[in-house]
């Protein structure tokens, strides 16, 4: 945990090795093992994991993420129904034909 913490806070592997009285190779191998065991691929993912576990943020972050997702999904659904957005190509064509025929009727009525 100490090596992960120092790595997350931006220390180089050489600095970590000097501070913990280990070799650079040991520090490098330890960091690789951490990535492998936690199935992480980036330093940012390691940072998130470290802060969640060090400060017990996992539950709070998960709750906040769920609330944000719920609100976002609700807004998308409300906006799409209000704007009548459709990705179905047949509906789009039918709607365009209806608008076109309505425009023709309105133009014809306006001329008479």
């Amino acid at each position: 945990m100490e090596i992960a913490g120092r790595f997350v806070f931006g220390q180089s592997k050489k600095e970590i090795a000097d501070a913990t009285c280990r070799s650079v190779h040991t520090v490098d191998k330890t960091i690789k093992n951490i990535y492998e065991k936690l199935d992480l691929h980036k330093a940012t993912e390691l940072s998130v994991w470290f802060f969640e576990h060090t400060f017990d943020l996992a539950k709070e972050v998960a709750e906040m993420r769920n609330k944000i997702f719920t609100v976002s999904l609700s807004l998308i659904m409300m906006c799409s129904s209000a704007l009548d957005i459709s990705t179905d190509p047949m509906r789009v064509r039918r709607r365009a034909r209806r608008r076109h025929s309505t425009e023709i009727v309105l133009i014809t009525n306006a001329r008479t």
Side-chain angles (χ1 to χ4, degrees):
M1 203 59 172
E2 180 185 5
I3 291 176
R6 290 178 180 275
F7 188 72
V8 165
F9 281 107
Q11 287 188 349
S12 69
K13 292 174 184 173
K14 171 84 170 104
E15 291 172 333
I16 296 170
D18 291 342
T20 59
C21 299
R22 294 184 173 105
S23 72
V24 176
H25 176 72
T26 303
V27 171
D28 186 44
K29 187 68 176 169
T30 302
I31 292 171
K32 284 181 183 179
N33 287 339
I34 291 170
Y35 278 119
E36 194 174 300
K37 286 181 181 180
L38 298 175
D39 192 31
L40 303 175
H41 306 286
K42 299 178 183 176
T44 54
E45 293 173 346
L46 179 60
S47 298
V48 169
W49 178 87
F50 179 79
F51 284 109
E52 283 180 351
H53 285 78
T54 302
F55 301 110
D56 263 343
L57 297 176
K59 184 179 177 186
E60 295 169 15
V61 169
E63 289 174 6
M64 182 63 74
R65 184 177 32 221
N66 289 342
K67 289 177 184 177
I68 290 170
F69 178 74
T70 303
V71 169
S72 300
L73 189 59
S74 300
L75 287 172
I76 290 169
M77 290 174 64
M78 288 188 313
C79 290
S80 65
S81 64
L83 297 174
D84 194 27
I85 297 173
S86 175
T87 56
D88 182 17
M90 293 302 291
R91 281 184 157 178
V92 171
R93 283 190 209 125
R94 275 188 240 132
R95 192 176 307 127
R97 275 191 241 133
R98 279 190 220 127
R99 283 189 194 134
H100 182 67
S101 62
T102 305
E103 290 172 3
I104 291 171
V105 170
L106 291 174
I107 292 170
T108 308
N109 288 342
R111 289 183 184 168
T112 56

